Amino acid sequence: MTDPSIRGPLSADPLIVLRPWEAPEVTSWGRLPMNAVDRRAGALSLDGDWRFQLLPAPSMEPGPEWSSSYVPGAWTMQGTDDLPQYTNFRMPWGEFPPASPAANPTGVYEREVDVPAEWAGRRIVLQVGAAESVLLVHVDGRAVGISKDSHLAAEFDLTDVVRPGTRARLRLTVVKWSDASHIEDQDQWWHGGITRSVLLYATEPLYLADVTVRTRLDGELRVDCQVRNASGGALPDGWYVTGELDGQLLAQDVEFDRINEEDGRVSDFLGEARLETVVRDVRAWTAETPELYGLTVRLHRADGSVADTSHHRVGFREVEIRGRDLLLNGERVYIRGVNRHDFHPLTGRTVSYEDMRADLTLLKRFGFNAIRTAHYPNDPSLLDLADELGFYVVDEANIEAHDHAHEIADDPRYTAAFVDRVARMVLRDKNHPCVIIWSLGNESDYGANHDAAAGWLRRHDPTRPLQYEGAAKLDWADPALASDIACPMYAPVEDCVAHALSGKQTKPLIQCEYSHAMGNSNGTLADHWAAIESTPGLQGGFIWEFWDHGILQRVNDGRPAGRGGAGLYDNGVTAPGHRWAYGGDFGETIHDGAFIADGVVFPDRTPKPVMYEHREIAAPVRLEYADGELRVTNRQHFRGLEWLAAEWSLALADDGTLTAPAELPDVRPGETASVPLPFELPEDGGEAWLTVRVTTAEDGAWAPRGTEVCVPQVRLRSAAAAPVPADGGPPVEVDDSGLLVHPLLTAAPVLSLWRAPTDNDELGGAAVRWRTWGLDTLVRKVVGVRRERGSVTVLAEYDTWAGVVRHEQVFTRVEGGVRVEETAELPDGLDDVARVGSVFETVAGLDVLEWYGQGPWESYPDRSAGAPVGHHSVPVDALFTPYLRPQESGGRHGVRHFTLSAPDATGLSVALDGPRQVSVTRYRAEDLTAAAHHDELVPRPGCVVHIDAAHRGLGTASCGPDTSPAYLIEPGTHSWSWTLRVL
Ligand code: IPT
């Protein structure tokens, strides 16, 4: 193993000579045990600019030339030549575990620290929040320690290597590739650097080494405190520990002390104390009611003065699996989850407290109540915020061996690393009420190393279930496997239902990943939830995922914009000269393209339309209307509706919208009440939709008063048959090629069977079929133009590789315009096309779309549960959703009529024969298909308008099931009609 290139003084450095980056058995050296004592307050922050050099390999010595790098941050985002690289699960290099490549970027960070003189006689500790992937620590040239695990902090005792009142030189060497990279093979960008804060703090030599909090729903609180003496001697006499919960003093458990003493269980260099109390009328913690109590634990000297203090926030809650139900405080709660990475478009993996608060605030506003920390323990503040705002967290260990999963799961050289990563996560996060389930990691096959980690975990924390998809997938029901939850990923909803009905289910079924949000996606989310709510045994899941991990990139030099890029994006759209980079955009040859852009929010956290779909599915209030009775249900688990305000509105097809104040009934969780109909329906017949717009009644932790929470809707009356427009109007003009001539159209309506493939279409295989059939390059052949009095009939044919498509259009002059009746006949071979409909283009200047139909946000046939029917108005430019890789976008479902108008109210109107899928954008499908990024798109001056008789569902086929057959387009005859008028 000895590298002949090692020369000079460093060759004597044990941290280098041992080549710990190729030794999986070495998980750390000189590192302090993980604990739950928060040392951030009162510490000396070492964040800021450090001297920096990037070496080509860890065995090289730094030269005299230094640049600088900001900590916390990834050097890959800060102007070095080592740029971000995206791979899903393949390793970016070929070495087999535990080897790493010879070309191994190694960042050397250096700075001086003035160690405060008043720290004399104290224990001095360095904490490095996270370093990717091996951290080597030197102080004044002396080797201090090693740590691995890129997503947990490492602490080192510097007491013996620094002198208070003097200046110390700190060197943190970060080796990018290592044996550990093989178990950090998560689907995300590869970076290098120190990505969380660095701090230095001091304690007395005698200090609180750990605090473990256990609560019960009846108000019982137990706090186990560990005291250690860093100087190695026995504990001095008379020192003691006290605790206080919101001002209420805890009692010492003397029985615990007595047993410890009698058993000689606790040696005299280790102190343990148990404090306890029972809180009367305890306010339980739930995601809906995140009630927290403040706990302070103090270590006292014999004279009563305080030597050390530790603050905690405590939530009283119990997690339990009973039968096949996961219970939170005895309730079978639905898990409305999302997978969340630590991500930021400017800083890579470094996320600020404010950013995390913004993430969670947004998730709350859109109805999420759970987070899986995919696929590693997230920044510690994330859990503080989840406690405070109310989320159920699946806390996941930093283990993903994806590319070499099978080799590693049973490799004894990696056993220590598996146990270490799981144990340190648990030791850090055990006191958070938000953490309800531990996860052993992701996509690493299943082996003895998992069982070793599970064994440690079950023994150490019997209060929470654990899950691991790799174990669960072998058999959803086998209790011997290292998973208490059946937590599949991307299982078809039918399979989940079948399991729940099989009589064999033994564990709660909560998908760890489902509904892949890549591009324009998340079709059938509402169908999943309909099944979950109607099938005992199904309890929810975690959407994949929160972020589109697009990195803000300057197009001219291909570099990440970095920390200076703030303000260069808005509403998902980047400033000129910038774009959201995905795999391959930094010149990587090994990469997985846009698969990194698969979140429910854009890289700047702008919600994608699916967020509104989710919000409605998760709505705390549900409306039902049947047999003349209107009912309101409280769909929460733990609280009433008093925190909500509401307003009724009635949308009428032709007569606009009426509103009236609403009073939500006083209904307990899960209960329903009848309420009087707030409006009398006008006699004249047409369609009528009743919506209740629910908002927050007061300012709250995650939303100011008046924030929209949901807009549930019911139909009170169906549409009457649309009247056939009367004859009249100017004559219809159709040219020799059978194309409609119209003053407001720059391209006449023709048949469209193609959409710019979505990521699901591309990766799921539909787009390949469409291209094979030739649907992207259809050539229209006019086979007949028949002119009659008042109407023209045009017959066109299109040759495809699956047979001929016949398309008939009948243009009839009607009062105020032209009526277009269309029929398309698809041969049997065309059994799954993207759309069947008309497409035309308008003159420039018609910049606002007003419609009656579903909206206002984008919706598609299998993603339309969250878009209420109503009268909507949106500027054309804002209709389009800028998915990172341009694709079909901007559709509106169930449109009955629309107008496209200029500021002077001129323009056109279209009345449809029934609810249809409509889209109005600045792009042809071919424009979108040809572009890889948004900066390549050139908006057309006019509008491209699609009216679809049928539009294929979106599905989730980029990873997981495609849409269900109900949302596919059948071959055969499709007919639709519409009337075009000039305003
Ligand atoms: C699954 C991974 O767990 C997740 O990290 C991500 O890659 C997701 O898929 C797709 O975006 S693994 C996949 C092989 C099912």
Side-chain angles (χ1 to χ4, degrees):
M1 274 286 194
T2 313
D3 181 343
S5 69
I6 298 174
R7 294 273 183 278
L10 267 186
S11 60
D13 183 338
L15 303 196
I16 302 292
V17 170
L18 287 175
R19 298 178 66 83
W21 50 92
E22 287 188 341
E25 304 87 341
V26 179
T27 57
S28 71
W29 176 73
R31 189 176 69 189
L32 294 169
M34 182 59 94
N35 60 77
V37 179
D38 185 349
R39 298 291 182 184
R40 282 173 289 186
L44 195 66
S45 167
L46 301 185
D47 289 352
D49 288 318
W50 289 51
R51 283 193 298 281
F52 180 74
Q53 319 199 3
L54 191 60
L55 308 178
S59 51
M60 307 283 281
E61 272 191 74
E65 295 288 314
W66 294 89
S67 62
S68 89
S69 188
Y70 189 83
V71 172
W75 70 65
T76 33
M77 300 292 283
Q78 293 190 30
T80 69
D81 290 334
D82 184 31
L83 291 167
Q85 176 175 6
Y86 165 57
T87 64
N88 172 7
F89 62 81
R90 55 185 151 158
M91 290 298 288
W93 27 265
E95 282 74 6
F96 291 121
S100 48
N104 190 355
T106 299
V108 182
Y109 294 80
E110 251 194 30
R111 63 165 284 169
E112 274 68 44
V113 186
D114 289 316
V115 183
E118 58 274 21
W119 285 4
R122 291 170 70 87
R123 166 181 168 264
I124 298 170
V125 177
L126 171 73
Q127 184 186 89
V128 181
E132 186 150 351
S133 69
V134 183
L135 170 70
L136 313 177
V137 181
H138 293 87
V139 175
D140 293 330
R142 290 172 66 182
V144 168
I146 299 175
S147 179
K148 294 179 191 170
D149 190 338
S150 301
H151 300 279
L152 283 176
E155 291 193 334
F156 303 91
D157 189 335
L158 302 191
T159 315
D160 292 339
V161 290
V162 297
R163 273 203 301 134
T166 67
R167 180 169 272 209
R169 183 163 44 93
L170 222 60
R171 175 183 288 185
L172 305 180
T173 304
V174 181
V175 184
K176 183 174 179 182
W177 305 123
S178 68
D179 56 87
S181 308
H182 292 285
I183 54 170
E184 297 186 350
D185 182 20
Q186 289 97 352
D187 178 7
Q188 58 176 345
W189 294 100
W190 293 99
H191 287 293
I194 298 174
T195 54
R196 292 186 193 148
S197 290
V198 179
L199 46 94
L200 198 66
Y201 66 86
T203 70
E204 299 276 301
L206 205 70
Y207 63 100
L208 284 169
D210 202 5
V211 172
T212 303
V213 179
R214 295 262 162 97
T215 65
R216 290 175 57 104
L217 203 51
D218 59 8
E220 206 179 298
L221 171 72
R222 199 182 89 185
V223 183
D224 284 316
C225 313
Q226 279 187 3
V227 179
R228 292 285 183 274
N229 189 350
S231 57
L235 289 186
D237 280 346
W239 287 55
Y240 61 99
V241 174
T242 62
E244 185 189 305
L245 187 80
D246 278 359
Q248 177 181 336
L249 273 185
L250 309 188
Q252 186 94 18
D253 181 345
V254 285
E255 181 60 9
F256 175 83
D257 297 343
R258 192 184 60 75
I259 294 172
N260 273 347
E261 196 146 324
E262 281 177 7
D263 287 4
R265 217 171 62 81
V266 178
S267 65
D268 52 5
F269 64 86
L270 179 147
E272 284 192 4
R274 177 168 290 176
L275 308 173
E276 55 190 15
T277 194
V278 178
V279 178
R280 294 238 194 135
D281 302 323
V282 71
R283 302 183 310 273
W285 184 96
T286 73
E288 291 170 16
T289 58
E291 295 281 357
L292 294 172
Y293 291 75
L295 169 72
T296 305
V297 176
R298 296 191 179 91
L299 172 66
H300 299 263
R301 302 181 188 90
D303 66 2
S305 58
V306 176
D308 200 2
T309 308
S310 180
H311 296 287
H312 303 263
R313 289 190 304 181
V314 173
F316 288 82
R317 60 111 188 86
E318 280 177 28
V319 188
E320 176 192 1
I321 292 177
R322 202 181 302 153
R324 55 183 187 173
D325 294 330
L326 175 75
L327 305 182
L328 191 282
N329 300 348
E331 280 292 314
R332 179 177 175 270
V333 292
Y334 286 128
I335 300 297
R336 304 182 183 280
V338 72
N339 282 276
R340 180 191 175 279
H341 274 279
D342 280 340
F343 169 78
H344 194 278
L346 304 181
T347 50
R349 262 196 263 296
T350 301
V351 286
S352 68
Y353 178 83
E354 292 69 31
D355 276 315
M356 284 180 274
R357 184 175 265 281
D359 293 357
L360 297 201
T361 299
L362 187 76
L363 285 169
K364 282 299 266 194
R365 290 187 191 177
F366 284 88
F368 290 88
N369 71 357
I371 293 169
R372 172 172 174 242
T373 67
H375 297 302
Y376 41 79
N378 286 184
D379 187 286
S381 295
L382 197 272
L383 297 179
D384 296 337
L385 286 159
D387 286 342
E388 185 183 319
L389 298 172
F391 285 93
Y392 305 122
V393 172
V394 172
D395 201 0
E396 186 150 283
N398 180 22
I399 303 172
E400 175 158 345
H402 213 141
D403 204 3
H404 297 289
H406 186 63
E407 300 99 290
I408 290 177
D410 280 302
D411 184 339
R413 292 172 299 178
Y414 275 95
T415 308
F418 275 54
V419 176
D420 187 62
R421 283 160 189 252
V422 169
R424 295 179 78 239
M425 167 183 76
V426 173
L427 290 167
R428 187 191 77 163
D429 296 339
K430 63 195 168 204
N431 294 337
H432 286 281
C434 65
V435 176
I436 63 163
I437 298 171
W438 302 113
S439 162
L440 301 181
N442 186 58
E443 289 277 318
S444 304
D445 208 315
Y446 179 39
N449 291 339
H450 292 101
D451 282 337
W456 188 93
L457 182 52
R458 289 195 203 280
R459 172 82 185 181
H460 190 84
D461 182 14
T463 70
R464 293 175 176 95
L466 69 84
Q467 72 174 49
Y468 175 53
E469 183 270 339
K473 79 172 166 206
L474 299 179
D475 180 343
W476 290 357
D478 184 349
L481 303 171
S483 192
D484 302 325
I485 315 275
C487 50
M489 42 172 70
Y490 311 105
V493 66
E494 310 83 63
D495 293 9
C496 298
V497 172
H499 179 63
L501 299 180
S502 68
K504 299 199 177 115
Q505 187 180 6
T506 59
K507 304 175 183 181
L509 202 160
I510 301 167
Q511 294 219 49
C512 70
E513 294 175 24
Y514 81 112
S515 199
H516 195 246
M518 183 178 185
N520 192 357
S521 184
N522 304 96
T524 72
L525 187 61
D527 304 78
H528 270 272
W529 275 93
I532 291 165
E533 292 185 8
S534 59
T535 315
L538 306 189
Q539 252 185 283
F542 296 82
I543 290 179
W544 186 265
E545 66 172 307
F546 181 57
W547 288 107
D548 264 1
H549 303 218
I551 290 178
L552 187 72
Q553 182 187 36
R554 291 192 296 264
V555 177
N556 60 0
D557 64 1
R559 299 266 172 174
R563 296 196 320 135
L568 291 174
Y569 45 76
D570 185 28
N571 261 326
V573 178
T574 56
H578 293 78
R579 67 180 183 185
W580 298 125
Y582 53 76
D585 289 341
F586 293 106
E588 322 102 280
T589 47
I590 298 175
H591 66 84
D592 288 301
F595 206 61
I596 192 68
D598 54 1
V600 291
V601 300
F602 284 97
D604 65 354
R605 212 184 284 106
T606 299
K608 291 187 183 173
V610 59
M611 290 287 271
Y612 295 92
E613 181 84 350
H614 186 271
R615 193 180 74 171
E616 219 46 55
I617 290 169
V621 176
R622 177 171 291 170
L623 278 189
E624 279 154 312
Y625 180 71
D627 306 326
E629 192 189 354
L630 183 63
R631 288 194 302 273
V632 172
T633 304
N634 174 358
R635 299 181 63 241
Q636 303 167 101
H637 296 289
F638 298 105
R639 63 179 158 173
L641 300 180
E642 56 285 344
W643 63 287
L644 299 169
E647 185 188 57
W648 296 112
S649 70
L650 182 71
L652 300 165
D654 300 319
D655 304 331
T657 310
L658 306 172
T659 58
E663 183 95 13
L664 290 172
D666 180 13
V667 273
R668 294 217 307 254
E671 290 186 351
T672 298
S674 288
V675 294
L677 268 181
F679 301 99
E680 285 221 0
L681 289 190
E683 293 281 305
D684 58 356
E687 201 181 24
W689 292 83
L690 179 70
T691 309
V692 62
R693 180 171 178 268
V694 179
T695 54
T696 51
E698 305 292 340
D699 288 344
W702 48 268
R705 173 166 185 254
T707 303
E708 196 168 272
V709 171
C710 56
V711 281
Q713 183 174 63
V714 285
R715 183 164 62 186
L716 298 184
R717 194 164 63 196
S718 304
V724 176
D727 283 356
V732 178
E733 213 184 312
V734 171
D735 71 13
D736 291 346
S737 337
L739 295 172
L740 178 71
V741 179
H742 190 282
L744 292 179
L745 303 193
T746 54
V750 292
L751 180 70
S752 172
L753 301 175
W754 169 255
R755 69 182 177 198
T758 63
D759 293 312
N760 290 330
D761 296 339
E762 289 289 8
L763 298 176
V768 175
R769 284 197 303 280
W770 301 338
R771 288 192 178 97
T772 312
W773 289 333
L775 302 189
D776 54 335
T777 49
L778 284 187
V779 178
R780 178 173 173 275
K781 264 192 315 197
V782 192
V783 292
V785 179
R786 204 172 64 235
R787 295 171 198 274
E788 283 155 302
R789 253 199 51 186
S791 78
V792 183
T793 301
V794 179
L795 247 178
E797 282 183 1
Y798 299 81
D799 283 332
T800 79
W801 288 99
V804 176
V805 178
R806 293 200 169 71
H807 179 220
E808 186 191 78
Q809 289 174 308
V810 182
F811 300 101
T812 312
R813 71 189 192 124
V814 293
E815 224 172 311
V818 48
R819 179 168 157 84
V820 189
E821 289 161 284
E822 311 199 45
T823 305
E825 276 169 45
L826 272 58
D828 286 349
L830 285 188
D831 57 1
D832 178 12
V833 297
R835 60 163 35 118
V836 178
S838 343
V839 57
F840 60 85
E841 291 175 21
T842 75
V843 295
L846 309 182
D847 292 340
V848 173
L849 180 76
E850 288 174 78
W851 75 99
Y852 175 66
Q854 292 192 245
W857 31 81
E858 180 190 274
S859 55
Y860 282 83
D862 59 351
R863 204 191 65 216
S864 62
V869 176
H871 297 274
H872 305 288
S873 170
V874 174
V876 169
D877 290 328
L879 287 164
F880 183 73
T881 312
Y883 295 110
L884 259 59
R885 194 188 63 76
Q887 55 195 277
E888 162 64 30
S889 141
R892 298 299 188 276
H893 192 57
V895 177
R896 283 83 161 153
H897 52 78
F898 66 87
T899 64
L900 257 174
S901 59
D904 63 1
T906 59
L908 58 83
S909 79
V910 170
L912 300 153
D913 56 348
R916 299 288 184 184
Q917 182 82 18
V918 166
S919 87
V920 178
T921 68
R922 301 278 184 213
Y923 307 106
R924 294 181 184 161
E926 71 225 44
D927 302 339
L928 298 170
T929 311
H933 293 88
H934 279 272
D935 59 308
E936 299 157 27
L937 285 174
V938 183
R940 292 178 184 272
C943 300
V944 178
V945 181
H946 279 273
I947 295 171
D948 292 334
H951 195 104
R952 188 189 198 276
L954 299 168
T956 58
S958 53
C959 184
D962 199 346
T963 191
S964 48
Y967 306 108
L968 297 178
I969 301 176
E970 305 238 322
T973 305
H974 295 263
S975 302
W976 66 106
S977 65
W978 46 290
T979 303
L980 174 68
R981 294 189 173 88
V982 176
L983 290 179

